Amino acid sequence: MPVDATDDLADVFEYETIAVVGCSSTPGKAAHDVPNYLREQGYDVIPVNPFADEIFGRPVYDSLADVEEAIDVVCIFRPSEEVSEIVDAALERDDVEVVWTQQGIRDDEAAARVEDDGRVAVQSRCMMVEHRRLSA
C-alpha cells in the first residue's frame, strides 16, 4: 500500500530536490502555488512542463528524462490517467526515491509499481498541506 503514516510522510520532506510534473506558470493554480510554497521552504523545485519555457525564474524541462540534475521526489500535477506514464519515466531514473501525486490524483497500479521497485509512493495528498501539518 502507498505510504500513509505520518512518520513516513515526514521522511519524504527530508529530501531536497522535487521535480514537479505539470508545474504551472499561472499564480493562483495549485500547480503553481504548491511548488512555489515548497521553494519558499528551501526545496530545490525543478519545473517539468512541455508547454512552458521558464517558471520561478528557472528553465523548464519538457520531461523527467530531460532533467539533468538529480531528483529525489517526483510530484505529479497531472490527471490520474497520465500517472502511469509519468511513473514509468520516474522509475527509469535511479535517483528518484519518492513519487507523490497531488490531491485527487491517484493510480493504484502505478503506485504499486513504485513500491515494488523499492521506492515510496504517496497518493492524493497535497505536499503543501502535509508539509504545513508536519511543520506545525
Side-chain angles (χ1 to χ4, degrees):
M1 292 303 292
V3 168
D4 223 15
T6 298
D7 290 343
D8 293 334
L9 285 175
D11 291 345
V12 171
F13 292 105
E14 296 297 318
Y15 292 108
E16 297 176 1
T17 305
I18 304 168
V20 180
V21 179
C23 192
S24 175
S25 59
T26 307
K29 284 186 153 185
H32 175 87
D33 295 348
V34 171
N36 191 50
Y37 166 84
L38 294 169
R39 284 180 55 249
E40 291 170 349
Q41 303 311 305
Y43 293 96
D44 180 18
V45 173
I46 301 170
V48 179
N49 182 334
F51 304 107
D53 295 323
E54 184 180 292
I55 300 175
F56 309 130
R58 70 183 295 173
V60 179
Y61 292 96
D62 288 344
S63 69
L64 288 174
D66 294 330
V67 177
E68 297 167 359
E69 300 100 313
I71 299 170
D72 299 316
V73 178
V74 171
C75 177
I76 302 174
F77 275 98
R78 298 298 304 146
S80 296
E81 57 269 13
E82 294 181 24
V83 169
S84 183
E85 184 177 324
I86 297 165
V87 163
D88 289 343
L91 293 177
E92 290 280 323
R93 299 182 62 103
D94 293 332
D95 51 358
V96 174
E97 298 292 334
V98 179
V99 177
W100 183 304
T101 62
Q102 282 296 122
Q103 189 71 40
I105 303 168
R106 88 180 292 119
D107 180 330
D108 292 336
E109 187 275 326
R113 289 199 326 268
V114 170
E115 294 202 334
D116 288 347
D117 201 56
R119 307 182 204 203
V120 175
V122 180
Q123 293 197 89
S124 192
R125 289 184 161 222
C126 177
M127 284 193 88
M128 180 173 70
V129 169
E130 295 301 332
H131 185 271
R132 284 180 173 160
R133 182 177 64 80
L134 293 167
S135 299

